[in-house]
Amino acid sequence: MIKANHKIKAFTLTEIMVVLVISAIVTGLAFTVLGVVQGNMRSIGENYEYTTQMQSLETALTIDFNTYTTATWDTREHILKVSSPIGERKYQFFVDSIVTNIQTFPLKIKDKVLYFEGKEVNSGDIDAVKLTFYNTRELHRIFVFKHNDPTIHF
């Protein structure tokens, strides 16, 4: 009888341990990168939502400034009221939002400048408003104006 001397081909314990350590490092890096990517996606989503709210406010103000004939600012109540003989709309400014009778805009106002005929005013009739917001760059601001009716001078 011939006895064959075969050797079974297999990995050594050291080789398997090295592969497991490398796999654990790669998996750890993958989960770390996944966490960073998820955080960035959340941040992008929040910025998109904030920008969308700013654009919605700008659109609403532009429509209302050009639909209604007068716009007034009440400093005591922090209310911007646009009105005409057929109706009115109020924008109430709070620390963390702007509320109308239709919608709430969750925006934090940093600065609000009101104008009437090109001059800054603090209350009363206005024909333009410039709003700047927190959490944005200086470029992201709203400036809405309306053309005055010539009869305001009579």
Side-chain angles (χ1 to χ4, degrees):
M1 202 161 162
I2 300 177
K3 206 173 189 184
N5 194 4
H6 327 112
K7 210 174 182 187
I8 299 175
K9 293 185 178 184
F11 295 106
T12 64
L13 185 59
T14 306
E15 293 171 333
I16 291 174
M17 294 290 283
V18 167
V19 168
L20 286 175
V21 167
I22 291 172
S23 297
I25 291 171
V26 168
T27 303
L29 288 173
F31 278 112
T32 302
V33 169
L34 180 64
V36 169
V37 168
Q38 285 178 335
N40 286 342
M41 291 301 292
R42 229 180 341 272
S43 175
I44 289 169
E46 290 168 0
N47 287 340
Y48 178 76
E49 179 65 28
Y50 200 78
T51 303
T52 302
Q53 289 293 333
M54 284 176 36
Q55 290 171 345
S56 295
L57 176 63
E58 182 176 22
T59 302
L61 282 171
T62 301
I63 290 170
D64 289 342
F65 263 57
N66 291 298
T67 301
Y68 298 102
T69 55
T70 61
T72 57
W73 173 255
D74 182 354
T75 304
R76 191 172 42 96
E77 301 276 330
H78 298 284
I79 293 177
L80 170 64
K81 183 172 109 175
V82 288
S83 61
S84 70
I86 59 171
E88 74 176 20
R89 176 141 319 131
K90 293 180 181 179
Y91 290 83
Q92 186 159 15
F93 287 72
F94 294 102
V95 173
D96 60 347
S97 64
I98 300 169
V99 178
T100 70
N101 27 357
I102 295 174
Q103 188 176 1
T104 298
F105 302 97
L107 300 167
K108 292 184 178 183
I109 301 287
K110 181 189 227 177
D111 190 29
K112 165 178 55 280
V113 183
L114 308 162
Y115 298 94
F116 185 68
E117 294 185 344
K119 297 178 183 143
E120 284 189 33
V121 295
N122 293 326
S123 63
D125 288 339
I126 63 169
D127 59 8
V129 62
K130 180 173 76 172
L131 303 173
T132 53
F133 302 93
Y134 286 107
N135 302 332
T136 61
R137 295 183 302 191
E138 195 60 32
L139 296 173
H140 297 114
R141 60 179 170 245
I142 293 176
F143 183 78
V144 178
F145 66 95
K146 72 182 202 74
H147 296 287
N148 286 327
D149 185 12
T151 60
I152 64 170
H153 297 289
F154 296 120

